[in-house]
Amino acid sequence: MDSEALRAAVEGVRLVDAHAHNLVAIDSSFPFLSCLTEASGDSLHFAPHSLSVKRNLKDIAKLYGVDSSLPAIEEHRKNTGLESISSSCFGATGISALLIDDGLELDKKLELEWHKSLVPVVGRILRIERLAENILDEGLSDGSIWTLDSFLKTIAAYRSGLDINTSVDRIDAEEGLLLSVKAGKPVRITNKNFIDYILTRSLEIAVCFDLPIQIHTGFGDKDLDLRLANPLHLRSLLEDKRFAKCRIVLLHASYPFSKEASYLASVYDQVYLDFGLAVPKLTVNGMVSSVKELLELAPIKKVMFSTDGYACPETFFLGAKKAREVVFSVLHDACKDGDLSVAEAIEAAEDIFAANAIQFYKLHLNHKSVSCKSSQVLETGNTLNPATLLVRIIWIDASGQHRCRVVPRKRFDSVVVKNGVGLTFASMGMSSSCDGPADETDLTGVGEIRLVPDLSTRCQIPWSKQEEMVFGDMHLRPGVAWEYCPREALRRVLGVLKNEFNLVMNAGFENEFYILKNVIREGKEEWLPSDLTPYCSTSSYDAASPIFLEILAALDALNIPLEQLHAEAGKGQFEVALGHKTAGTAADNVIFAREAIKAVVRRHGLLATFVPKYALDDIGSGCHVHVSLWQDGKNVFMASDGSSQYGMSKTGEEFLAGVLQHLPSILAITAPLPNSYDRIQPNTWSGAYQCWGKENREAPLRTSCPPGIQEGRVSNFELKSFDGCANPHLGLAAIAASGIDGLRRHLPLPVPIDVNPYDLGDKLQRLPASLNESLQALRADSILKDLLGEKLLKAITGVRKAEIEYYSENKDAYKQLIHRY
């Protein structure tokens, strides 16, 4: 039997986590130990002595590279921070889509939006019992008393227990409603008649709109009466003709009633199964036994994976890790027993981990979020290609250059996913002038890290159908982030922003670039503009439209939103504006977008370059970034009413004031080359003075009121002093760190400049006119040093100094940059 083929399929499949809950802040009062057991209160004292907890602690300790004791793991969590441990845990899961039940009440629970930085797709599961309680807590707007009619006009659905009376009397239900309200607030719905009535009405709605229903079955915390958790209690509901077409998922493998659940799924068309919580909360034998029992009668097409992860990212890691191990063991035994062929077992793994959930929940997923399906085509977008031969692992160094290691797909899935690939320390110390470490970075060819793929970013390359690409995180060893890693630096700073101020930073990039054509003159190769037309020229776009149609298709395939594109003012220059996303995703997106643009243009025999100043006598290219702040899914950079002087909230003003104050040192990161300062000149809309303005394109910081935003308010600010040679993760980290300083110190925002700053002469401070000046400001910036990390900042400044020295001695060397960026 080809067990390795089965193992590779199980390890390589992208997971759809169909039932989970919110994470909490690192300083939540929720005990970490409670994530590993269903015990609570005094019984937690004994939990570390259970087999499953001991095993799970060992698995977590191995991931983090620490001792397997509970105190050692808790200390690592505290010191490392939520952003970092989440990255480690989710990076090891291979979860591509996450459905979150956000009705579980947890201290310092993070909103759904926060989770979108961890996986490509996040959806919401509505916990109807919590919705009902919230509605009752709020009361009626006119102060009148609840009746069943007034309640049912508000509520959409509800989830309840298993011994359901689908013929409950309306009068009894109304009495139950009144009893629930009279018990006081916060309302906790416990009356069975009321619960049964609401669930019955909810099932009717679910049938009408073809909505799936998840029902908790089997074990859970001690609030649950296990005697009533046997799914056989649902038989009367399942026999009710009104609900014959209702799609019902029995959660948690119904443990210890897994055989009963399997029976129900085999005889009732509307019953499906999910084994989250049973995996990983049981022993290895218990997990294997429960999954085997599910498959004894239930069709494979009805069995689905979830982690039931909650509160701590480790629960997602453990759920995914043990699920892969358990499913492999179960399917391997089925092959040995002759129940399945290897090909059928591989298909079963892909169904259980992804395909069944995609079809059942009608998920519209693209190639970044579905399994590596080998036996059928899923109508959910562009899937990962089973014929993939190679995988590119991409990282961006301190000089902003895109680099990659490429490994065969089979080795990637079997070895690299877990262990990464080796990479020398020198990889973060190279400048744009030399593929060797700069002297003052303290990074040399001695020492090695692991470039560990972040599987949430894994995708098929649209322009090279037999290849995939994925971002790599830099780890000292798998699970332990390297302090020089740019993606980790951004996560770390964003974690501070979230933990201190409960804010999420969103960003969207505008990419300016030149398209050049190759010309041979007097036997010498030259790269010249592809056209000579002006700003927003229709003829310029028309000539390039075949290229941009391919670029659009590539960006769509990569799930990167394109807002607009047009010809820019330079000869052969264009701009592609991307939609805003959470900062980490936005940084990833702009890198993938550049890869797509360069590759598509190259296929047409041309060259796309993002170098800041391709020609000294023409317009420069920037990578302007738009930044906004979000809280609980709402833009809080924008003023909430018309009382704001500048259309910004107080939070927005303080954040922007911090960015404005640190702008001279930010430039050393966002404008990283001497060539960058040839672009940042007065009267070129590039932002040469230290100021901000409302819709002032000569200011480096411009507040924006795009179409659809109420007049007088601003939705975001644009930083114009950012170019395509910058590492976007480091650039956004510097912006976030500066904004944090503004929030911490409540910095006041000076008055906006509403004229060309150049016309004010000496009244305004000129931003650094050279990389050397900006580098001096960065070296003196204690805030950026503290939040980005002293060692990382030293590597950045070492690279910058090497570039200053090289380009001052080699004036013609700029020509080589068009091929590097």
Side-chain angles (χ1 to χ4, degrees):
M1 185 181 74
D2 189 1
S3 60
E4 287 308 308
L6 175 59
R7 188 182 298 279
V10 170
E11 292 298 326
V13 69
R14 308 296 308 285
L15 308 180
V16 175
D17 188 349
H19 182 84
H21 306 276
N22 305 61
L23 296 175
V24 300
I26 201 73
D27 59 345
S28 169
S29 62
F30 189 86
F32 169 66
L33 182 57
S34 292
C35 290
L36 307 179
T37 175
E38 290 300 292
S40 60
D42 292 341
S43 62
L44 272 178
H45 174 72
F46 294 98
H49 303 287
S50 64
L51 299 182
S52 64
V53 171
K54 286 179 178 292
R55 183 198 66 244
N56 287 333
L57 286 175
K58 289 185 177 72
D59 286 338
I60 295 169
K62 185 176 180 181
L63 176 68
Y64 292 155
V66 299
D67 185 76
S68 60
S69 68
L70 180 61
I73 292 172
E74 290 182 320
E75 182 67 18
H76 176 81
R77 300 181 84 255
K78 180 180 178 182
N79 294 338
T80 306
L82 183 63
E83 292 278 351
S84 180
I85 62 173
S86 295
S87 173
S88 297
C89 289
F90 277 85
T93 64
I95 293 173
S96 59
L98 185 60
L99 303 183
I100 294 181
D101 165 11
D102 61 353
L104 184 62
E105 292 303 310
L106 299 166
D107 178 51
K108 297 187 177 180
K109 180 174 69 176
L110 301 174
E111 297 301 319
L112 252 64
E113 188 71 21
W114 192 94
H115 300 75
K116 293 181 180 179
S117 64
L118 303 175
V119 295
V121 177
V122 175
R124 186 189 184 202
I125 300 170
L126 184 66
R127 177 177 285 216
I128 304 164
E129 63 183 1
R130 183 62 60 208
L131 174 63
E133 289 167 350
N134 290 342
I135 291 170
L136 293 176
D137 278 336
E138 292 173 3
L140 293 171
S141 57
D142 60 2
S144 58
I145 301 300
W146 280 111
T147 65
L148 205 54
D149 283 337
S150 62
F151 182 78
L152 288 177
K153 289 176 183 176
T154 307
I155 195 164
Y158 191 81
R159 191 190 100 191
S160 181
L162 304 187
D163 185 15
I164 306 300
N165 177 9
T166 57
S167 302
V168 64
D169 184 85
R170 180 185 174 87
I171 296 175
D172 292 337
E174 179 114 19
E175 181 181 353
L177 167 62
L178 295 176
L179 289 173
S180 297
V181 174
K182 288 179 180 179
K185 296 183 178 180
V187 174
R188 180 170 174 80
I189 298 173
T190 57
N191 182 272
K192 185 178 186 306
N193 288 330
F194 183 42
I195 289 174
D196 290 354
Y197 190 86
I198 296 305
L199 177 59
T200 304
R201 301 287 81 78
S202 300
L203 288 167
E204 291 172 350
I205 293 171
V207 170
C208 181
F209 291 95
D210 192 24
L211 298 174
I213 296 284
Q214 294 183 344
I215 297 181
H216 186 125
T217 60
F219 75 134
D221 59 38
K222 65 181 183 181
D223 285 342
L224 181 94
D225 187 342
L226 191 60
R227 295 168 297 180
L228 299 178
N230 189 325
L232 293 180
H233 286 297
L234 292 170
R235 190 171 181 274
S236 61
L237 184 154
L238 298 174
E239 292 286 342
D240 193 313
K241 292 182 179 180
R242 291 174 295 170
F243 310 129
K245 298 298 182 183
C246 189
R247 298 183 291 124
I248 297 172
V249 183
L250 307 183
L251 296 174
H252 313 319
S254 299
Y255 181 84
F257 311 110
S258 302
K259 288 184 178 181
E260 289 86 341
S262 180
Y263 166 74
L264 292 177
S266 72
V267 297
Y268 290 103
D269 178 66
Q270 68 266 51
V271 175
Y272 292 72
L273 309 175
D274 181 300
F275 56 79
L277 186 62
V279 179
K281 289 292 178 70
L282 305 178
T283 64
V284 172
N285 182 66
M287 291 186 289
V288 170
S289 296
S290 63
V291 174
K292 280 187 174 182
E293 288 178 353
L294 290 183
L295 293 177
E296 284 184 357
L297 289 173
I300 293 171
K301 296 289 185 182
K302 284 189 166 189
V303 178
M304 291 178 282
F305 157 82
S306 76
T307 62
D308 198 46
Y310 60 98
C312 303
E314 292 85 353
T315 58
F316 293 83
F317 162 68
L318 293 170
K321 180 179 188 298
K322 302 315 292 186
R324 290 189 195 271
E325 294 173 5
V326 168
V327 168
F328 171 77
S329 175
V330 171
L331 295 179
H332 183 268
D333 286 351
C335 290
K336 286 172 59 179
D337 293 340
D339 289 334
L340 295 174
S341 67
V342 173
E344 289 171 332
I346 290 173
E347 181 177 0
E350 294 167 342
D351 284 339
I352 289 168
F353 282 124
N356 291 345
I358 288 168
Q359 184 175 10
F360 180 83
Y361 295 106
K362 300 183 179 180
L363 302 178
H364 299 291
L365 303 180
N366 58 33
H367 67 286
K368 294 177 85 172
S369 51
V370 299
S371 65
C372 310
K373 194 70 178 171
S374 61
S375 57
Q376 68 183 82
V377 178
L378 300 175
E379 296 179 358
T380 54
N382 183 19
T383 68
L384 291 172
N385 189 346
T388 296
L389 299 178
L390 297 171
V391 182
R392 304 178 190 181
I393 309 172
I394 294 175
W395 80 95
I396 315 299
D397 63 18
S399 67
Q401 295 181 86
H402 296 200
R403 301 182 186 269
C404 71
R405 286 285 184 86
V406 185
V407 295
R409 162 74 177 276
K410 186 174 182 180
R411 175 174 170 77
F412 181 88
D413 289 337
S414 62
V415 177
V416 175
V417 162
K418 182 178 181 180
N419 300 313
V421 296
L423 198 65
T424 174
F425 280 5
S427 60
M428 276 299 290
M430 297 177 182
S431 71
S432 64
S433 60
C434 177
D435 283 337
D439 291 340
E440 296 187 18
T441 60
D442 284 350
L443 297 169
T444 70
V446 178
E448 185 170 90
I449 60 167
R450 290 287 176 267
L451 190 64
V452 179
D454 176 356
L455 294 179
S456 70
T457 67
R458 185 179 181 181
C459 57
Q460 182 183 312
I461 298 178
W463 56 90
S464 183
K465 297 297 185 180
Q466 289 185 304
E467 290 188 81
E468 297 169 6
M469 60 183 175
V470 63
F471 280 106
D473 286 324
M474 297 175 172
H475 290 192
L476 286 170
R477 57 183 179 275
V480 180
W482 193 37
E483 53 204 325
Y484 293 89
C485 177
R487 297 180 86 234
E488 180 62 25
L490 178 57
R491 291 189 194 104
R492 190 167 59 246
V493 177
L494 294 177
V496 174
L497 182 65
K498 179 67 178 180
N499 291 333
E500 289 191 20
F501 303 102
N502 192 29
L503 293 173
V504 172
M505 188 173 90
N506 277 18
F509 288 91
E510 298 174 356
N511 296 270
E512 294 175 338
F513 58 95
Y514 277 85
I515 296 181
L516 308 177
K517 60 184 178 181
N518 186 276
V519 176
I520 304 298
R521 288 183 176 176
E522 299 178 356
K524 294 183 179 180
E525 180 184 71
E526 292 187 41
W527 289 94
L528 301 177
S530 57
D531 67 55
L532 304 176
T533 52
Y535 174 74
C536 279
S537 164
T538 55
S539 61
S540 178
Y541 171 74
D542 188 56
S545 65
I547 294 175
F548 284 107
L549 287 172
E550 290 184 34
I551 290 173
L552 173 61
L555 296 181
D556 280 346
L558 294 169
N559 198 31
I560 298 175
L562 172 67
E563 291 202 340
Q564 61 177 311
L565 56 91
H566 60 84
E568 259 296 349
K571 300 177 182 66
Q573 188 186 34
F574 295 87
E575 177 181 299
V576 170
L578 307 179
H580 74 92
K581 293 285 185 179
T582 53
T585 300
D588 290 346
N589 280 355
V590 75
I591 293 166
F592 275 167
R594 290 177 195 160
E595 287 289 303
I597 291 168
K598 291 172 76 72
V600 170
V601 170
R602 189 183 302 116
R603 288 165 66 93
H604 286 262
L606 303 169
L607 174 69
T609 181
F610 294 84
V611 70
K613 196 73 170 177
Y614 148 70
L616 296 181
D617 60 350
D618 207 340
I619 299 298
S621 293
C623 186
H624 312 153
V625 62
H626 290 255
V627 175
S628 56
L629 299 173
W630 294 72
Q631 191 174 82
D632 301 330
K634 296 180 180 179
N635 186 338
V636 295
F637 182 83
M638 181 167 52
S640 59
D641 54 41
S643 63
S644 169
Q645 183 178 3
Y646 302 128
M648 288 175 276
S649 65
K650 185 68 173 175
T651 294
E653 289 184 10
E654 291 178 354
F655 189 92
L656 181 58
V659 176
L660 177 60
Q661 184 166 117
H662 289 273
L663 198 51
S665 49
I666 291 175
L667 253 63
I669 297 175
T670 61
L673 298 176
N675 181 255
S676 302
Y677 298 81
D678 294 327
R679 181 183 79 89
I680 304 175
Q681 297 295 325
N683 298 315
T684 61
W685 292 14
S686 58
Y689 292 86
Q690 192 168 357
C691 65
W692 77 279
K694 300 178 71 174
E695 301 292 3
N696 185 344
R697 283 172 167 75
E698 281 290 352
L701 296 172
R702 173 180 74 94
T703 56
S704 176
C705 180
I709 300 300
Q710 185 175 340
E711 186 177 355
R713 303 185 193 180
V714 297
S715 63
N716 65 83
F717 71 88
E718 176 189 31
L719 173 60
K720 303 184 75 67
S721 309
F722 203 125
D723 64 50
C725 294
N727 182 312
H729 296 93
L730 295 179
L732 291 180
I735 293 169
S738 302
I740 288 170
D741 186 44
L743 293 169
R744 284 174 173 174
R745 296 197 287 144
H746 303 290
L747 293 179
L749 188 64
V751 296
I753 301 301
D754 57 6
V755 298
N756 186 340
Y758 180 76
D759 295 338
L760 297 178
D762 296 336
K763 294 181 181 179
L764 274 182
Q765 178 71 38
R766 175 77 159 87
L767 282 174
S770 69
L771 177 56
N772 190 48
E773 291 178 28
S774 185
L775 192 55
Q776 291 176 20
L778 181 63
R779 285 171 171 154
D781 197 316
S782 60
I783 299 300
L784 294 192
K785 183 182 295 184
D786 177 53
L787 289 176
L788 269 68
E790 189 170 351
K791 289 185 177 180
L792 176 58
L793 227 59
K794 184 170 184 178
I796 294 170
T797 56
V799 168
R800 301 293 182 269
K801 183 177 179 181
E803 290 178 322
I804 292 169
E805 293 174 353
Y806 178 79
Y807 291 113
S808 64
E809 298 173 0
N810 300 272
K811 298 296 185 183
D812 294 333
Y814 284 146
K815 293 180 180 178
Q816 74 185 30
L817 293 177
I818 65 171
H819 298 285
R820 285 184 173 262
Y821 295 98

